[in-house]
Amino acid sequence: MANLIDGKKIAAKVREELKSRIDKLKKKGITPGLGVVLVGDDPASISYVTGKERACAELGMFSRETRLPAEITQEELLALIASMNEDPQLHGILVQLPLPRHIDEQKIIMAIDPKKDVDGFHPVNAGKMLLGQDCYLPCTPNGILKLLEESGVETGGAEVVVLGRSNIVGKPVANLLFRKANPGNSTVTICHTATRDLKAHTLRADILIVAAGRARTVTGDMVKEGAVVIDVGVNRIPDDSKKRGYRLEGDVDFSSVSEKASLITPVPGGVGPMTITMLLFNTVAAAEKSV
Amino acid sequence: MANLIDGKKIAAKVREELKSRIDKLKKKGITPGLGVVLVGDDPASISYVTGKERACAELGMFSRETRLPAEITQEELLALIASMNEDPQLHGILVQLPLPRHIDEQKIIMAIDPKKDVDGFHPVNAGKMLLGQDCYLPCTPNGILKLLEESGVETGGAEVVVLGRSNIVGKPVANLLFRKANPGNSTVTICHTATRDLKAHTLRADILIVAAGRARTVTGDMVKEGAVVIDVGVNRIPDDSKKRGYRLEGDVDFSSVSEKASLITPVPGGVGPMTITMLLFNTVAAAEKSV
């Protein structure tokens, strides 16, 4: 029976370390500041943004939310970002995705000053990550590395299988784990919807990272005895027994997989708390660089 | 016994296609131009640069070489690149690497206008490649894709094993082959010096791409019957029977591996001719975008 990787606990530890860095900055008269842009009124986006702002407040950071109607033009949004790039109070800029269809997301992200791109979504940061240069690492992949590190999981030489090739999870976490670094130095296989024999790969994995976007993509029979399983999925499963009418599940069938794994992240409470924490981490780093 | 993938022949075909695009541009009064910067007098670098310039000339493209002494300062080099960025005659800029130690290579590459970065080495191009956006693809990996395509090798669903994680070959070719595209859609494993059981991986490969930087890293017993083997290595092996005192060998033990493979690239004459060709390809594309 697997032990749980407690994302909340590890996130709390990282935030504690951040707290002391923030206090140091404040003594120098700098409050790390995050500018948040929210376009439209998608409930999930509002909830994500609220969580991020609350986390900033808890650590004594500054955040400023600009909420815009879905009808805003691309030019207006670009002008807002240009002004945020110049604003010395804001060390990080976060544009909550997805944006309405009439807006070109790539253009908006390209407009963010890479020095303030605390999401790590700007191509220049993605490229620096790929090339092994100093940059802001994207939050979810970086949070996964931190979970592995804090749980004492040795990645060097490990067989890692990543399920999913999204820009925000699968691709970057694969690239971070095969680079010559610690954490890193893993032999990484990246699987996806075009993979022929998925089970043959997952059964080889010492560390299995599942970001497939579909509940129960991985079941116990697909996991090696003693594997470490990181479940990045967040699926809403209709459930009348819950007040809100659904429950959250990852991409992994928790009950059968936890019989095989040695360590596993729960959903919720695994990767999720780390994503926000690494956003704070990048914002504090940005503030430190501004000194 | 394997069939050869004839890199010279495929390169000639691609150059033929480029020739007609260049002729069209010339009718509009545009000659695709490549600016080449060579610092110092490393014989290998001189030979590479000469090959690239000759290839430009053969296709009726314009090239201008600026050769600088090894003692040049970083500031002088940055100033040169700034002027090349502004020069309308130059659609592509190539700084031959490596640079002398006192010069920060990353800074120099960052200074090249990404629109003229026909090597695909600028982080913003690397990032766009990673994120699946339109960009200049790095020449060797793109040449490998072209070799596979022209040889009728189906990459979708294939098991690809990449040996080596360099910034210019291993990392980009792995990322290009797992992306949702054609060529692409492969299940990719990236192996390197920290990989534990290399042979277990190479034996699984339908397509094996070897960029390890060491002769005879892969021998016949490590290759699956019928595999496609792409050898990116270029090693100088001392050989008194040769006039120049050495012969070229790839990273693959050709005689034993060609007994197992269905298709294999020779060294020389495999990947090499494609690298220069894709540089011309990017330069022509840059010239077309300038219209």
Side-chain angles (χ1 to χ4, degrees):
Chain A
M1 193 63 193
N3 286 314
L4 284 187
I5 296 181
D6 186 342
K8 278 188 201 168
K9 200 170 147 187
I10 294 171
K13 189 188 160 192
V14 176
R15 290 184 196 194
E16 206 50 55
E17 293 160 6
L18 285 179
K19 188 82 182 69
S20 70
R21 287 164 64 182
I22 293 165
D23 291 343
K24 266 188 206 160
L25 281 165
K26 284 187 167 177
K27 278 180 194 148
K28 293 180 191 161
I30 294 163
T31 302
L34 179 68
V36 177
V37 179
L38 179 57
V39 181
D41 52 6
D42 174 60
S45 291
I46 293 173
S47 143
Y48 287 135
V49 158
T50 307
K52 291 164 187 176
E53 290 164 352
R54 190 190 304 131
C56 282
E58 281 168 11
L59 287 189
M61 290 166 63
F62 164 77
S63 73
R64 185 201 300 148
E65 178 183 315
T66 307
R67 202 184 279 203
L68 300 162
E71 301 75 37
I72 191 169
T73 66
Q74 182 162 302
E75 289 61 41
E76 288 172 297
L77 190 50
L78 287 170
L80 170 67
I81 287 167
S83 76
M84 293 170 81
N85 283 340
E86 297 303 319
D87 189 334
Q89 275 201 296
L90 303 179
H91 303 97
I93 296 174
L94 174 122
V95 178
Q96 183 66 40
L97 302 180
L99 292 171
R101 283 205 197 152
H102 67 280
I103 293 176
D104 181 345
E105 259 180 32
Q106 285 184 16
K107 263 213 176 118
I108 299 301
I109 290 169
M110 276 294 270
I112 298 171
D113 183 342
K115 290 195 213 67
K116 297 192 174 188
D117 170 41
V118 287
D119 256 338
F121 288 169
H122 192 292
V124 83
N125 279 318
K128 286 182 169 182
M129 178 196 69
L130 180 71
L131 302 170
Q133 300 175 15
D134 185 41
C135 65
Y136 296 119
L137 297 179
C139 302
T140 301
N142 200 16
I144 293 169
L145 295 193
K146 202 77 191 164
L147 285 178
L148 293 171
E149 203 178 9
E150 293 288 335
S151 308
V153 176
E154 172 62 47
T155 59
E159 294 290 331
V160 171
V161 174
V162 175
L163 220 165
R165 54 179 163 180
S166 71
N167 282 343
I168 60 171
V169 185
K171 287 180 189 176
V173 82
N175 279 283
L176 288 168
L177 279 166
F178 66 62
R179 67 186 177 157
K180 200 169 189 159
N182 184 21
N185 267 324
S186 309
T187 301
V188 178
T189 301
I190 184 157
C191 297
H192 43 73
T193 46
T195 293
R196 273 197 226 120
D197 189 355
L198 180 60
K199 190 173 167 179
H201 287 290
T202 58
L203 274 173
R204 290 193 294 106
D206 300 320
I207 301 171
L208 179 60
I209 299 174
V210 189
R214 198 168 53 92
R216 301 190 190 186
T217 304
V218 173
T219 45
D221 58 310
M222 298 167 71
V223 175
K224 186 168 81 168
E225 194 74 45
V228 175
V229 178
I230 306 289
D231 188 350
V232 191
V234 184
N235 303 288
R236 292 185 175 194
I237 310 293
D239 186 341
D240 290 341
S241 75
K242 303 283 176 186
K243 225 182 184 174
R244 51 188 183 183
Y246 65 86
R247 65 177 190 278
L248 291 182
E249 262 188 31
D251 290 348
V252 155
D253 179 50
F254 188 83
S255 66
S256 64
V257 171
S258 59
E259 297 286 329
K260 301 290 265 319
S262 62
L263 285 170
I264 187 169
T265 57
V267 176
V271 174
M274 293 306 291
T275 297
I276 295 187
T277 302
M278 300 324 277
L279 174 74
L280 304 178
F281 180 91
N282 283 344
T283 306
V284 171
E288 287 170 345
K289 280 182 194 159
S290 77
V291 178
Chain B
M1 193 64 192
N3 286 313
L4 284 187
I5 295 181
D6 186 341
K8 278 189 201 166
K9 200 170 147 188
I10 294 171
K13 188 188 162 193
V14 175
R15 289 184 197 194
E16 207 50 55
E17 293 161 6
L18 285 179
K19 189 81 181 66
S20 71
R21 286 165 64 182
I22 293 165
D23 291 342
K24 265 188 207 159
L25 282 165
K26 284 189 168 175
K27 280 182 193 145
K28 292 181 192 160
I30 295 163
T31 302
L34 179 68
V36 177
V37 180
L38 178 59
V39 181
D41 51 7
D42 175 58
S45 290
I46 292 173
S47 142
Y48 287 136
V49 157
T50 307
K52 290 165 186 174
E53 289 164 352
R54 190 190 305 131
C56 281
E58 280 168 10
L59 287 190
M61 290 167 62
F62 163 79
S63 73
R64 186 200 299 147
E65 178 182 316
T66 307
R67 202 183 279 205
L68 300 163
E71 302 74 40
I72 190 168
T73 67
Q74 182 161 303
E75 288 61 40
E76 287 171 298
L77 191 49
L78 287 171
L80 171 67
I81 287 167
S83 76
M84 293 171 82
N85 283 340
E86 296 304 318
D87 189 334
Q89 276 200 296
L90 304 178
H91 303 97
I93 297 174
L94 174 122
V95 179
Q96 185 64 42
L97 303 180
L99 293 171
R101 283 206 198 154
H102 67 281
I103 292 177
D104 181 344
E105 258 179 31
Q106 284 183 17
K107 262 211 178 122
I108 300 300
I109 290 169
M110 275 295 269
I112 298 171
D113 182 342
K115 289 193 212 69
K116 296 192 175 188
D117 170 41
V118 288
D119 255 340
F121 287 170
H122 191 291
V124 83
N125 279 318
K128 285 182 170 185
M129 179 197 67
L130 180 70
L131 302 170
Q133 299 175 14
D134 185 42
C135 65
Y136 296 119
L137 297 179
C139 302
T140 301
N142 199 17
I144 293 169
L145 295 194
K146 200 78 189 162
L147 285 178
L148 293 171
E149 205 178 7
E150 294 287 334
S151 307
V153 177
E154 171 63 46
T155 59
E159 294 290 330
V160 171
V161 173
V162 175
L163 221 165
R165 54 180 162 180
S166 71
N167 282 343
I168 59 170
V169 185
K171 287 180 189 177
V173 82
N175 279 283
L176 288 170
L177 279 167
F178 66 62
R179 68 186 175 154
K180 198 169 189 159
N182 183 23
N185 267 323
S186 309
T187 301
V188 179
T189 301
I190 186 158
C191 297
H192 43 73
T193 46
T195 292
R196 274 197 226 123
D197 189 355
L198 181 59
K199 190 173 167 179
H201 287 290
T202 58
L203 274 173
R204 290 193 295 105
D206 300 319
I207 302 171
L208 180 60
I209 297 173
V210 188
R214 197 167 53 90
R216 301 188 191 188
T217 303
V218 173
T219 45
D221 59 309
M222 297 167 74
V223 175
K224 186 168 80 169
E225 193 73 43
V228 175
V229 178
I230 305 289
D231 187 350
V232 191
V234 183
N235 303 288
R236 291 185 176 196
I237 310 293
D239 186 341
D240 290 341
S241 76
K242 302 282 176 188
K243 223 181 184 175
R244 52 187 182 185
Y246 65 86
R247 65 176 190 279
L248 291 182
E249 261 188 32
D251 291 349
V252 155
D253 179 49
F254 188 83
S255 65
S256 64
V257 171
S258 60
E259 296 287 330
K260 301 290 267 316
S262 61
L263 283 170
I264 188 169
T265 57
V267 177
V271 174
M274 293 306 291
T275 297
I276 296 188
T277 302
M278 300 324 276
L279 175 73
L280 304 178
F281 180 91
N282 283 344
T283 306
V284 171
E288 287 170 342
K289 280 183 195 158
S290 77
V291 178

